[in-house]
Amino acid sequence: MNRRRNVIISIAAAVLSGMLVYGVYLLQLRQVEFQETVSVMVPNRFVPAGERITPDMLEVKQVAKASYISEMVLDAESVAGMEAVVPLGLGEPLLNWKVDKWKLLPSRTQSSLQIPRDYVLSVSNGIRAGDKVILYVTG
């Protein structure tokens, strides 16, 4: 009876040990895959909206492959000469939608003009460069 119980305990211990080793193997495999990195472009300083991007404004940063998305920019030449649509933070991965070729320039059907400060009586909150506004001219 004791001998039979010892054999059953030994077999159960061997099976549990094998399952534990396999579980640790899977965890290590996931960790290695997560630690693989991808080189992406990041600004080396704060870039305000509307500023043209040059290759010297960007540097390479390693990000984990698990956090990489297809919208991240991989080379500086692909965004050289484009304008920042939104402010770009220092060290923040550069995404394709954050830059555009002529986003803040007026189209053929739009105009751009500067209004002297003395003429402005009221301005709504939150108007920034590049925002579309409607002007009502009187007098």
Side-chain angles (χ1 to χ4, degrees), residues 43-89:
N44 57 11
R45 64 174 177 83
F46 176 79
V47 179
E51 187 171 340
R52 288 226 180 264
I53 296 175
T54 58
D56 62 319
M57 291 179 172
L58 303 174
E59 62 187 18
V60 176
K61 180 179 180 182
Q62 299 293 328
V63 297
K65 188 176 183 180
S67 64
Y68 171 76
I69 58 174
S70 61
E71 291 183 342
M72 290 183 180
V73 176
L74 300 177
D75 62 326
E77 296 303 320
S78 65
V79 294
M82 292 187 171
E83 290 182 359
V85 175
V86 296
L88 306 173

Side-chain angles (χ1 to χ4, degrees), residues 20-34:
L20 180 64
V21 168
Y22 184 71
V24 170
Y25 166 75
L26 289 179
L27 285 174
Q28 287 178 339
L29 191 60
R30 265 185 50 192
Q31 186 66 21
V32 167
E33 288 175 0
F34 182 77

Side-chain angles (χ1 to χ4, degrees), residues 3-135:
R3 187 175 188 111
R4 188 172 169 195
R5 189 176 70 187
N6 286 344
V7 169
I8 292 173
I9 290 174
S10 296
I11 292 173
V15 169
L16 288 174
S17 176
M19 289 173 51
L20 180 64
V21 168
Y22 184 71
V24 170
Y25 166 75
L26 289 179
L27 285 174
Q28 287 178 339
L29 191 60
R30 265 185 50 192
Q31 186 66 21
V32 167
E33 288 175 0
F34 182 77
Q35 287 178 349
E36 291 179 9
T37 58
V38 177
S39 299
V40 297
M41 294 280 109
V42 298
N44 57 11
R45 64 174 177 83
F46 176 79
V47 179
E51 187 171 340
R52 288 226 180 264
I53 296 175
T54 58
D56 62 319
M57 291 179 172
L58 303 174
E59 62 187 18
V60 176
K61 180 179 180 182
Q62 299 293 328
V63 297
K65 188 176 183 180
S67 64
Y68 171 76
I69 58 174
S70 61
E71 291 183 342
M72 290 183 180
V73 176
L74 300 177
D75 62 326
E77 296 303 320
S78 65
V79 294
M82 292 187 171
E83 290 182 359
V85 175
V86 296
L88 306 173
L90 169 69
E92 168 187 333
L94 187 59
L95 303 176
N96 286 329
W97 66 267
K98 293 183 178 183
V99 294
D100 198 4
K101 199 69 170 167
W102 297 289
K103 181 67 176 173
L104 298 180
L105 295 176
S107 67
R108 292 182 186 266
T109 61
Q110 298 172 331
S111 297
S112 178
L113 62 123
Q114 187 171 5
I115 301 172
R117 197 175 289 228
D118 300 340
Y119 294 166
V120 178
L121 301 177
S122 169
V123 176
S124 173
N125 283 346
I127 295 178
R128 301 169 295 164
D131 286 350
K132 186 174 182 176
V133 297
I134 298 173
L135 290 179

